[in-house]
Amino acid sequence: MSTTVSPLAPKSHPKMPAVDGVRIATAEAGIKYKSRTDLLVMAFDEGTEVAGVFTRSKCPSAPVDYCRDNLKAGKARVLVVNSGNANAFTGKKGRQSTAMTGEAAAKAAACQPGDVFLASTGVIGEPLDAGKFSHLLAGMVKDAKPGLWADAGKAIMTTDTYPKYATATVKLGDADVTINGIAKGAGMIAPDMATMLSFVATDAPIAAAVLQDLLSKGVGKTFNSVTVDSDTSTSDTLLFFATGAAAKKGAPKITDPKDARLAQFRRALNRILKNLALQVVRDGEGARKQVEVTVTGARSGRSAKRIALSIANSPLVKTAVAGEDANWGRVVMAVGKAGEPADRDLLSIWFGDNRLAHNGERDPDYSEELTSSYMKGDEIRIRADIGLGRGKATVWTCDLTKQYVEINGDYRS
Amino acid sequence: MSTTVSPLAPKSHPKMPAVDGVRIATAEAGIKYKSRTDLLVMAFDEGTEVAGVFTRSKCPSAPVDYCRDNLKAGKARVLVVNSGNANAFTGKKGRQSTAMTGEAAAKAAACQPGDVFLASTGVIGEPLDAGKFSHLLAGMVKDAKPGLWADAGKAIMTTDTYPKYATATVKLGDADVTINGIAKGAGMIAPDMATMLSFVATDAPIAAAVLQDLLSKGVGKTFNSVTVDSDTSTSDTLLFFATGAAAKKGAPKITDPKDARLAQFRRALNRILKNLALQVVRDGEGARKQVEVTVTGARSGRSAKRIALSIANSPLVKTAVAGEDANWGRVVMAVGKAGEPADRDLLSIWFGDNRLAHNGERDPDYSEELTSSYMKGDEIRIRADIGLGRGKATVWTCDLTKQYVEINGDYRS
């Protein structure tokens, strides 16, 4: 948790309503940080269904393994999240730690360890001593209250400079249902689960298989389209809980992902996922500018996304944006190195509405003055048209500043 | 050309002997830089054979296209290199510029445009006005002298903080032959031709096809195993010229890449390529430490190299090295994200001789004090053993410092 808030932080946070069936508690367990909360418990009503998406790292953390196992049954009663220690690359001790936490949480919530979900974020490789906080869980579950979403967002922060919230209330059938989400970044952010941790909950009565379908499709253009530094965490976890409590108000139970009544809910969920993903980018370590990269005219959507990520992950493009330099030559370089079909002589490049390059050379009508002025803004749009087909993709990143180096040069010490 | 020399610069430069059959001239053409040389001409005796390796970028520069065309015939009489402008993404104007330079150089050297080789380095997207220097070529070819290798290395620099030289004299048959090489970096450095420009020349009588075989095999463990920032230039060019002048001293003509008499020559060439590649890394923009990454125990050599590059290109690993932090958890992360076979619980990691992690967890015998002291050095070795097979690879990179961001945030302006 940094003392200086990112200049790209939202001007205000949304007021987070309660989600019926979810109760929240946080605590100062002193796992690593002092004088701040570092432990979050969410308790869910019986019947809560769950879906999840995780890092594709070949070296996932112990909690990721634990969640993957429990996800098969699709039922959740309690979520325990700690910050300050990732419990990653901790071997047998890591598995002992998740087992001990899982049992303590199950006892606290009067459920099975299979109904428990865990997430940890922070330093890799330090054993996580579950004894430091497992004794707190019973009291936390007992005292948990519905309205504490603001506290939840704060307890999971590491190098984040602000907590990340999003909420929506939409119709499912004739009933109002609520979707709340929180997330934390802010380094080791790259596709294949961009955020390190995000938790979304709704009172809608939706079956686990449907939740999984919504989530798996939803991440493609949201969390899996943002990148801060191309580094993929061992711990990336996105969990989606549905308590079903809105059934009491007449919300219909949804068991088929193709159910037409889902349309509004799906759009709201996707907006929340995108909102949280962008908040993660805007809090990228050292970020001073948000960068939106759109590639059009690629051979396919997949090809467009690869080229867009090549641009968004290029240190030379990102430092140019930090320097407020419309260095479109580096965009050419990044298109060229992506390994995807491209024809230099058909390429066009825009920064904002300023077309700098066209048909393989500098645009003769390009105004250095207008473009320089555009680069001073804090939201930069880069577009590259490949000129070969109709493939299109948009990804988001931030600039690469000296502060990124500073933050990451002494994070552990 | 920076005013502050990299702390990793060689303590002294080798004395570069003449290469029989090569004459050199440099000039201040004022293409972009003031009060320094920015134009290099190498004139080669008739009968000189040539081979080359180029960027794999889909958006190569006009000089790269020009060289690729001319390489088919395998004959060279003159090389013209300018710094300050890459003549890349310059469309039709770029092709006109290479054609004009090629014709002027051919006229100067009394040869065909097909015997001319060109390279340009500097800003992308600015048209290169060949009229600024093509009139100088006749005088330069006329006045070129054999001994000016030191000048040659300086004329091709851009953001390099020191010129890069390597030389060797070895036996070919019973005759001494010389190999000289120069190179320039120092950003946009990544495999698929790491250096932006490098030129190697020998007086050995070796046929173009043999030169190409030596070069293509030589780059794998040298230039294609270094990375500064994962960005691949549009201009990367490595050319290898053999004048054959040593035939007069009795050196045998080599026309078969399997010729056993090549053994000593091949080793010397590979040493020169590695030496130049490492000099490029040690002059990586903002570099304060050289980092050698070795991966052992991977499923294959190819898999080992991919994992090694994932570690070497990770901004989080590179900033940790800059911060003198033995943050081996980030090495775990980089192994995990490489997408290659890996088993978390078999992984071991060393910084220098200090084993920090073993069998999937922190090594209990690891000394924070010894490791911290090791991290203060300016040559850091990272090793990861995957524990799955016998695949092995070594790559080289440098740390990621605030100076990298500074240099690249205002390079163009």
Side-chain angles (χ1 to χ4, degrees):
Chain A
M1 197 153 57
S2 170
T3 46
T4 318
V5 174
S6 163
L8 303 177
K11 300 285 174 276
S12 64
H13 295 304
K15 191 171 155 42
M16 300 287 283
V19 173
D20 200 4
V22 182
R23 292 177 305 118
I24 291 169
T26 60
E28 294 184 17
I31 294 162
K32 174 169 188 278
Y33 305 117
K34 304 290 168 207
S35 308
R36 57 155 281 193
T37 56
D38 55 359
L39 191 62
L40 163 67
V41 167
M42 281 196 191
F44 305 105
D45 279 3
E46 210 171 331
T48 295
E49 310 252 329
V50 61
V53 181
F54 302 94
T55 180
R56 289 187 199 146
S57 171
K58 304 278 174 154
C59 301
S61 67
V64 166
D65 281 350
Y66 188 93
C67 287
R68 277 201 176 109
D69 277 350
N70 284 356
L71 207 61
K72 290 164 199 156
K75 300 288 184 191
R77 291 300 304 283
V78 60
L79 165 73
V80 180
V81 188
N82 74 276
S83 54
N85 184 315
N87 194 13
F89 209 67
T90 40
K92 201 178 155 192
K93 289 193 201 80
R95 290 186 287 276
Q96 285 165 347
S97 178
T98 52
M100 182 175 172
T101 310
E103 276 158 34
K107 204 170 161 193
C111 65
Q112 297 303 311
D115 302 326
V116 176
F117 288 80
L118 302 176
S120 298
T121 173
V123 174
I124 298 178
E126 301 284 332
L128 172 64
D129 180 3
K132 271 193 169 175
F133 59 88
S134 55
H135 62 284
L136 301 172
L137 299 177
M140 291 175 77
V141 170
K142 185 165 162 286
D143 296 339
K145 292 182 180 54
L148 303 180
W149 282 88
D151 295 345
K154 285 174 194 159
I156 64 174
M157 291 165 72
T158 56
T159 54
D160 305 68
T161 75
Y162 57 84
K164 294 155 188 76
Y165 308 107
T167 182
T169 299
V170 293
K171 290 282 181 205
L172 186 66
D174 293 327
D176 280 336
V177 298
T178 297
I179 315 175
N180 275 6
I182 58 173
K184 58 88 51 194
M188 277 198 200
I189 303 293
D192 296 351
M193 274 316 295
T195 190
M196 295 180 80
L197 301 181
S198 180
F199 308 104
V200 180
T202 180
D203 53 356
I206 300 182
V210 180
L211 292 178
Q212 190 64 50
D213 183 78
L214 287 166
L215 199 61
S216 299
K217 288 179 179 152
V219 294
K221 293 190 173 183
T222 61
F223 279 116
N224 281 352
S225 288
V226 301
T227 176
V228 167
D229 55 12
S230 80
D231 277 344
T232 303
S233 163
T234 55
S235 307
D236 295 331
T237 298
L238 167 57
L239 292 169
F240 185 18
F241 302 93
T243 67
K248 292 177 296 191
K249 299 188 287 179
K253 173 88 182 173
I254 307 290
T255 54
D256 177 359
K258 297 200 185 75
D259 195 316
R261 292 170 295 182
L262 270 179
Q264 206 185 343
F265 186 90
R266 180 185 285 113
R267 280 196 300 272
L269 173 68
N270 289 342
R271 269 199 308 274
I272 283 179
L273 296 177
K274 182 170 168 186
N275 183 330
L276 291 172
L278 285 183
Q279 286 192 60
V280 167
V281 160
R282 294 172 71 87
D283 202 11
E285 288 169 341
R288 294 295 173 267
K289 291 174 195 289
Q290 176 184 313
V291 186
E292 179 180 290
V293 178
T294 298
V295 169
T296 55
R299 273 277 160 76
S300 66
R302 190 189 170 94
S303 176
K305 189 160 179 182
R306 284 211 184 127
I307 297 171
L309 284 170
S310 176
I311 298 169
N313 280 324
S314 158
L316 287 171
V317 171
K318 290 155 72 79
T319 48
V321 172
E324 304 189 336
D325 176 9
N327 195 323
W328 56 273
R330 294 182 182 173
V331 178
V332 175
M333 176 281 300
V335 171
K337 80 164 179 167
E340 292 294 316
D343 179 336
R344 180 186 60 200
D345 296 341
L346 297 175
L347 195 57
S348 300
I349 294 167
W350 291 256
F351 279 71
D353 297 326
N354 309 285
R355 191 174 69 186
L356 283 85
H358 189 52
N359 289 341
E361 55 187 309
R362 189 167 64 184
D363 190 322
D365 299 329
Y366 133 60
S367 154
E368 179 83 28
E369 198 185 338
L370 278 178
T371 311
S372 291
S373 149
Y374 176 74
M375 297 305 290
K376 295 192 198 307
D378 63 10
E379 295 193 8
I380 303 297
R381 285 176 294 118
I382 299 176
R383 182 179 151 214
D385 187 85
I386 309 302
L388 290 179
R390 304 186 61 175
K392 184 174 184 294
T394 297
V395 305
W396 294 271
T397 187
C398 56
D399 55 344
L400 172 57
T401 65
K402 285 188 242 183
Q403 286 72 32
Y404 176 89
V405 178
E406 204 163 75
I407 293 163
N408 285 298
D410 51 30
Y411 170 60
R412 205 185 59 137
S413 45
Chain B
M1 198 153 57
S2 171
T3 46
T4 319
V5 173
S6 163
L8 304 177
K11 299 284 172 276
S12 64
H13 295 303
K15 191 171 156 42
M16 300 287 283
V19 173
D20 201 5
V22 182
R23 292 177 306 119
I24 292 168
T26 61
E28 293 184 17
I31 294 162
K32 175 170 188 281
Y33 305 116
K34 305 288 167 208
S35 309
R36 57 155 282 193
T37 56
D38 56 0
L39 191 61
L40 163 67
V41 167
M42 280 195 193
F44 305 105
D45 280 1
E46 210 171 332
T48 294
E49 309 253 327
V50 61
V53 182
F54 302 93
T55 181
R56 288 185 201 149
S57 171
K58 304 277 173 150
C59 301
S61 68
V64 166
D65 281 350
Y66 188 93
C67 287
R68 278 202 175 108
D69 278 350
N70 284 356
L71 208 60
K72 290 165 198 155
K75 301 288 184 189
R77 290 300 304 283
V78 61
L79 165 73
V80 180
V81 188
N82 74 276
S83 54
N85 185 314
N87 193 12
F89 208 67
T90 40
K92 201 178 156 191
K93 288 193 201 80
R95 290 185 288 275
Q96 286 166 346
S97 177
T98 52
M100 181 176 172
T101 310
E103 276 159 33
K107 202 169 164 195
C111 65
Q112 297 303 312
D115 303 325
V116 176
F117 288 79
L118 303 176
S120 297
T121 173
V123 174
I124 298 177
E126 300 284 332
L128 172 64
D129 180 3
K132 271 193 171 176
F133 59 87
S134 56
H135 61 283
L136 300 173
L137 299 177
M140 290 174 77
V141 171
K142 186 165 161 283
D143 296 340
K145 290 181 180 58
L148 303 181
W149 283 87
D151 294 345
K154 286 174 192 159
I156 64 174
M157 290 165 73
T158 55
T159 54
D160 305 69
T161 75
Y162 57 84
K164 295 156 188 73
Y165 308 107
T167 181
T169 298
V170 294
K171 290 282 181 203
L172 186 66
D174 293 326
D176 280 337
V177 297
T178 297
I179 314 174
N180 274 8
I182 59 173
K184 59 88 50 196
M188 279 200 200
I189 304 292
D192 296 350
M193 274 317 294
T195 190
M196 295 179 81
L197 301 181
S198 181
F199 308 103
V200 181
T202 180
D203 53 356
I206 301 182
V210 179
L211 291 178
Q212 191 63 50
D213 182 78
L214 287 166
L215 200 60
S216 300
K217 288 180 178 153
V219 294
K221 293 191 173 184
T222 60
F223 280 116
N224 281 351
S225 288
V226 302
T227 176
V228 166
D229 55 13
S230 79
D231 277 344
T232 303
S233 163
T234 55
S235 308
D236 295 331
T237 298
L238 168 57
L239 292 169
F240 186 18
F241 302 93
T243 67
K248 292 178 295 191
K249 299 189 289 179
K253 173 90 181 171
I254 306 289
T255 55
D256 177 0
K258 297 201 187 72
D259 194 316
R261 291 171 296 182
L262 270 179
Q264 206 186 342
F265 185 90
R266 179 185 283 111
R267 280 195 301 272
L269 173 67
N270 289 343
R271 270 198 308 274
I272 284 179
L273 296 177
K274 182 170 170 188
N275 183 329
L276 291 172
L278 284 183
Q279 286 191 62
V280 167
V281 160
R282 294 174 70 89
D283 202 11
E285 288 170 340
R288 294 295 173 266
K289 292 174 194 291
Q290 176 184 314
V291 185
E292 178 180 291
V293 178
T294 298
V295 169
T296 54
R299 272 277 159 76
S300 66
R302 190 188 169 95
S303 176
K305 190 161 179 182
R306 285 211 184 128
I307 297 171
L309 285 170
S310 176
I311 298 169
N313 279 325
S314 159
L316 287 170
V317 171
K318 290 155 71 81
T319 49
V321 173
E324 304 190 337
D325 177 8
N327 195 323
W328 57 272
R330 295 182 181 172
V331 179
V332 175
M333 175 281 300
V335 171
K337 78 163 181 168
E340 292 295 315
D343 180 336
R344 181 185 59 199
D345 297 341
L346 297 175
L347 195 57
S348 300
I349 293 167
W350 291 255
F351 279 71
D353 297 325
N354 309 285
R355 191 174 69 186
L356 283 84
H358 189 50
N359 289 341
E361 55 189 308
R362 189 168 63 184
D363 191 321
D365 298 328
Y366 133 58
S367 155
E368 180 82 27
E369 197 185 336
L370 278 178
T371 310
S372 292
S373 150
Y374 176 73
M375 296 303 291
K376 294 191 199 307
D378 63 10
E379 295 193 9
I380 303 297
R381 284 175 295 117
I382 300 176
R383 183 181 149 209
D385 187 85
I386 309 303
L388 290 179
R390 304 186 62 177
K392 183 175 185 297
T394 297
V395 305
W396 293 270
T397 187
C398 56
D399 55 346
L400 172 56
T401 66
K402 286 187 240 183
Q403 287 72 33
Y404 176 89
V405 178
E406 206 163 74
I407 292 164
N408 285 298
D410 51 31
Y411 170 60
R412 205 185 58 136
S413 43

Short mmCIF file of all heavy atoms in Angstrom, two decimals, chain B residues 245-272:
data_model
loop_
_atom_site.label_atom_id
_atom_site.label_comp_id
_atom_site.label_asym_id
_atom_site.label_seq_id
_atom_site.Cartn_x
_atom_site.Cartn_y
_atom_site.Cartn_z
N ALA B 245 42.15 -12.24 -49.41
CA ALA B 245 43.51 -11.76 -49.68
C ALA B 245 44.60 -12.66 -49.08
O ALA B 245 45.74 -12.67 -49.54
CB ALA B 245 43.66 -10.33 -49.15
N ALA B 246 44.23 -13.43 -48.05
CA ALA B 246 45.23 -14.31 -47.42
C ALA B 246 45.63 -15.47 -48.31
O ALA B 246 46.59 -16.19 -48.01
CB ALA B 246 44.70 -14.83 -46.08
N ALA B 247 44.92 -15.65 -49.41
CA ALA B 247 45.31 -16.70 -50.36
C ALA B 247 46.73 -16.45 -50.87
O ALA B 247 47.48 -17.40 -51.13
CB ALA B 247 44.31 -16.76 -51.53
N LYS B 248 47.09 -15.18 -50.96
CA LYS B 248 48.45 -14.84 -51.42
C LYS B 248 49.51 -15.39 -50.47
O LYS B 248 50.63 -15.68 -50.87
CB LYS B 248 48.61 -13.30 -51.47
CG LYS B 248 47.79 -12.64 -52.54
CD LYS B 248 47.96 -11.11 -52.49
CE LYS B 248 47.41 -10.54 -51.19
NZ LYS B 248 47.30 -9.08 -51.15
N LYS B 249 49.13 -15.52 -49.19
CA LYS B 249 50.08 -16.04 -48.18
C LYS B 249 49.95 -17.54 -48.06
O LYS B 249 50.53 -18.15 -47.15
CB LYS B 249 49.77 -15.41 -46.81
CG LYS B 249 49.90 -13.90 -46.77
CD LYS B 249 49.79 -13.37 -45.33
CE LYS B 249 48.38 -13.49 -44.79
NZ LYS B 249 48.24 -13.01 -43.41
N GLY B 250 49.13 -18.16 -48.92
CA GLY B 250 49.01 -19.61 -48.90
C GLY B 250 47.80 -20.16 -48.17
O GLY B 250 47.66 -21.38 -48.02
N ALA B 251 46.88 -19.28 -47.72
CA ALA B 251 45.67 -19.80 -47.07
C ALA B 251 44.83 -20.55 -48.09
O ALA B 251 44.64 -20.06 -49.20
CB ALA B 251 44.87 -18.65 -46.46
N PRO B 252 44.33 -21.73 -47.72
CA PRO B 252 43.56 -22.53 -48.69
C PRO B 252 42.16 -21.93 -48.89
O PRO B 252 41.57 -21.38 -47.97
CB PRO B 252 43.45 -23.89 -48.01
CG PRO B 252 43.55 -23.59 -46.53
CD PRO B 252 44.46 -22.40 -46.41
N LYS B 253 41.66 -22.06 -50.10
CA LYS B 253 40.28 -21.63 -50.39
C LYS B 253 39.31 -22.64 -49.79
O LYS B 253 39.42 -23.84 -50.07
CB LYS B 253 40.11 -21.53 -51.92
CG LYS B 253 38.69 -21.26 -52.39
CD LYS B 253 38.40 -19.76 -52.51
CE LYS B 253 36.95 -19.52 -52.95
NZ LYS B 253 36.56 -18.12 -52.89
N ILE B 254 38.36 -22.16 -48.99
CA ILE B 254 37.41 -23.08 -48.33
C ILE B 254 36.06 -22.96 -49.04
O ILE B 254 35.46 -21.89 -49.10
CB ILE B 254 37.25 -22.74 -46.85
CG1 ILE B 254 38.60 -22.67 -46.13
CG2 ILE B 254 36.30 -23.73 -46.17
CD1 ILE B 254 39.29 -23.98 -45.93
N THR B 255 35.57 -24.09 -49.56
CA THR B 255 34.30 -24.06 -50.30
C THR B 255 33.29 -25.02 -49.70
O THR B 255 32.17 -25.12 -50.20
CB THR B 255 34.53 -24.45 -51.77
OG1 THR B 255 35.20 -25.72 -51.80
CG2 THR B 255 35.38 -23.41 -52.50
N ASP B 256 33.69 -25.75 -48.65
CA ASP B 256 32.79 -26.73 -48.03
C ASP B 256 32.69 -26.43 -46.53
O ASP B 256 33.71 -26.40 -45.84
CB ASP B 256 33.37 -28.14 -48.25
CG ASP B 256 32.52 -29.21 -47.57
OD1 ASP B 256 31.50 -28.87 -46.93
OD2 ASP B 256 32.90 -30.39 -47.68
N PRO B 257 31.47 -26.18 -46.02
CA PRO B 257 31.34 -25.85 -44.59
C PRO B 257 31.86 -26.95 -43.68
O PRO B 257 32.14 -26.70 -42.51
CB PRO B 257 29.84 -25.63 -44.40
CG PRO B 257 29.17 -26.09 -45.64
CD PRO B 257 30.19 -26.12 -46.73
N LYS B 258 31.99 -28.19 -44.21
CA LYS B 258 32.45 -29.29 -43.36
C LYS B 258 33.98 -29.43 -43.39
O LYS B 258 34.54 -30.32 -42.75
CB LYS B 258 31.82 -30.60 -43.82
CG LYS B 258 30.29 -30.61 -43.69
CD LYS B 258 29.74 -32.03 -43.64
CE LYS B 258 28.23 -32.04 -43.69
NZ LYS B 258 27.69 -31.68 -45.04
N ASP B 259 34.64 -28.56 -44.13
CA ASP B 259 36.11 -28.63 -44.25
C ASP B 259 36.75 -28.59 -42.85
O ASP B 259 36.56 -27.64 -42.09
CB ASP B 259 36.59 -27.43 -45.09
CG ASP B 259 38.04 -27.61 -45.55
OD1 ASP B 259 38.88 -28.02 -44.73
OD2 ASP B 259 38.30 -27.33 -46.74
N ALA B 260 37.53 -29.63 -42.53
CA ALA B 260 38.11 -29.76 -41.18
C ALA B 260 39.07 -28.61 -40.88
O ALA B 260 39.30 -28.28 -39.72
CB ALA B 260 38.82 -31.11 -41.04
N ARG B 261 39.64 -28.01 -41.92
CA ARG B 261 40.60 -26.92 -41.69
C ARG B 261 39.94 -25.67 -41.11
O ARG B 261 40.61 -24.75 -40.69
CB ARG B 261 41.30 -26.57 -43.02
CG ARG B 261 42.25 -27.67 -43.49
CD ARG B 261 42.75 -27.41 -44.89
NE ARG B 261 41.65 -27.43 -45.87
CZ ARG B 261 41.81 -27.27 -47.19
NH1 ARG B 261 43.03 -27.06 -47.69
NH2 ARG B 261 40.77 -27.31 -48.00
N LEU B 262 38.59 -25.67 -41.09
CA LEU B 262 37.86 -24.50 -40.57
C LEU B 262 37.78 -24.47 -39.04
O LEU B 262 37.36 -23.46 -38.46
CB LEU B 262 36.42 -24.50 -41.09
CG LEU B 262 36.13 -23.78 -42.40
CD1 LEU B 262 34.64 -23.93 -42.74
CD2 LEU B 262 36.49 -22.29 -42.30
N ALA B 263 38.16 -25.58 -38.38
CA ALA B 263 37.86 -25.71 -36.94
C ALA B 263 38.32 -24.51 -36.12
O ALA B 263 37.55 -23.91 -35.38
CB ALA B 263 38.47 -27.00 -36.40
N GLN B 264 39.59 -24.14 -36.30
CA GLN B 264 40.14 -23.05 -35.50
C GLN B 264 39.47 -21.72 -35.86
O GLN B 264 39.16 -20.90 -35.00
CB GLN B 264 41.65 -22.98 -35.75
CG GLN B 264 42.42 -22.37 -34.59
CD GLN B 264 43.89 -22.18 -34.92
OE1 GLN B 264 44.42 -22.78 -35.85
NE2 GLN B 264 44.56 -21.33 -34.16
N PHE B 265 39.24 -21.53 -37.16
CA PHE B 265 38.60 -20.31 -37.65
C PHE B 265 37.18 -20.19 -37.08
O PHE B 265 36.76 -19.12 -36.63
CB PHE B 265 38.55 -20.35 -39.18
CG PHE B 265 38.03 -19.08 -39.80
CD1 PHE B 265 38.89 -18.05 -40.15
CD2 PHE B 265 36.67 -18.91 -40.04
CE1 PHE B 265 38.41 -16.87 -40.73
CE2 PHE B 265 36.18 -17.74 -40.62
CZ PHE B 265 37.06 -16.72 -40.96
N ARG B 266 36.46 -21.30 -37.08
CA ARG B 266 35.08 -21.29 -36.58
C ARG B 266 35.04 -20.91 -35.11
O ARG B 266 34.22 -20.08 -34.69
CB ARG B 266 34.42 -22.65 -36.78
CG ARG B 266 32.98 -22.71 -36.28
CD ARG B 266 32.36 -24.09 -36.36
NE ARG B 266 31.97 -24.43 -37.71
CZ ARG B 266 32.54 -25.35 -38.49
NH1 ARG B 266 33.58 -26.05 -38.01
NH2 ARG B 266 32.11 -25.59 -39.70
N ARG B 267 35.95 -21.50 -34.33
CA ARG B 267 35.98 -21.17 -32.90
C ARG B 267 36.29 -19.69 -32.69
O ARG B 267 35.68 -19.02 -31.86
CB ARG B 267 37.02 -22.04 -32.16
CG ARG B 267 36.52 -23.44 -31.84
CD ARG B 267 37.41 -24.12 -30.80
NE ARG B 267 38.80 -24.24 -31.25
CZ ARG B 267 39.28 -25.25 -31.97
NH1 ARG B 267 38.48 -26.25 -32.32
NH2 ARG B 267 40.54 -25.28 -32.34
N ALA B 268 37.25 -19.18 -33.46
CA ALA B 268 37.62 -17.76 -33.31
C ALA B 268 36.46 -16.86 -33.71
O ALA B 268 36.17 -15.86 -33.04
CB ALA B 268 38.86 -17.45 -34.17
N LEU B 269 35.77 -17.20 -34.79
CA LEU B 269 34.61 -16.40 -35.22
C LEU B 269 33.55 -16.39 -34.13
O LEU B 269 33.00 -15.34 -33.78
CB LEU B 269 34.03 -16.97 -36.51
CG LEU B 269 32.71 -16.32 -36.95
CD1 LEU B 269 32.93 -14.86 -37.36
CD2 LEU B 269 32.05 -17.10 -38.09
N ASN B 270 33.25 -17.56 -33.57
CA ASN B 270 32.22 -17.64 -32.53
C ASN B 270 32.61 -16.84 -31.29
O ASN B 270 31.77 -16.21 -30.67
CB ASN B 270 31.91 -19.10 -32.18
CG ASN B 270 31.17 -19.81 -33.30
OD1 ASN B 270 30.61 -19.15 -34.20
ND2 ASN B 270 31.16 -21.12 -33.29
N ARG B 271 33.91 -16.87 -30.97
CA ARG B 271 34.38 -16.06 -29.84
C ARG B 271 34.16 -14.57 -30.13
O ARG B 271 33.76 -13.81 -29.24
CB ARG B 271 35.87 -16.31 -29.56
CG ARG B 271 36.13 -17.45 -28.57
CD ARG B 271 37.55 -17.37 -27.99
NE ARG B 271 38.58 -17.27 -29.01
CZ ARG B 271 39.14 -18.31 -29.62
NH1 ARG B 271 38.79 -19.55 -29.30
NH2 ARG B 271 40.08 -18.13 -30.54
N ILE B 272 34.46 -14.16 -31.34
CA ILE B 272 34.27 -12.75 -31.71
C ILE B 272 32.80 -12.36 -31.66
O ILE B 272 32.43 -11.31 -31.13
CB ILE B 272 34.88 -12.48 -33.11
CG1 ILE B 272 36.40 -12.41 -32.97
CG2 ILE B 272 34.31 -11.20 -33.74
CD1 ILE B 272 37.13 -12.18 -34.28
#
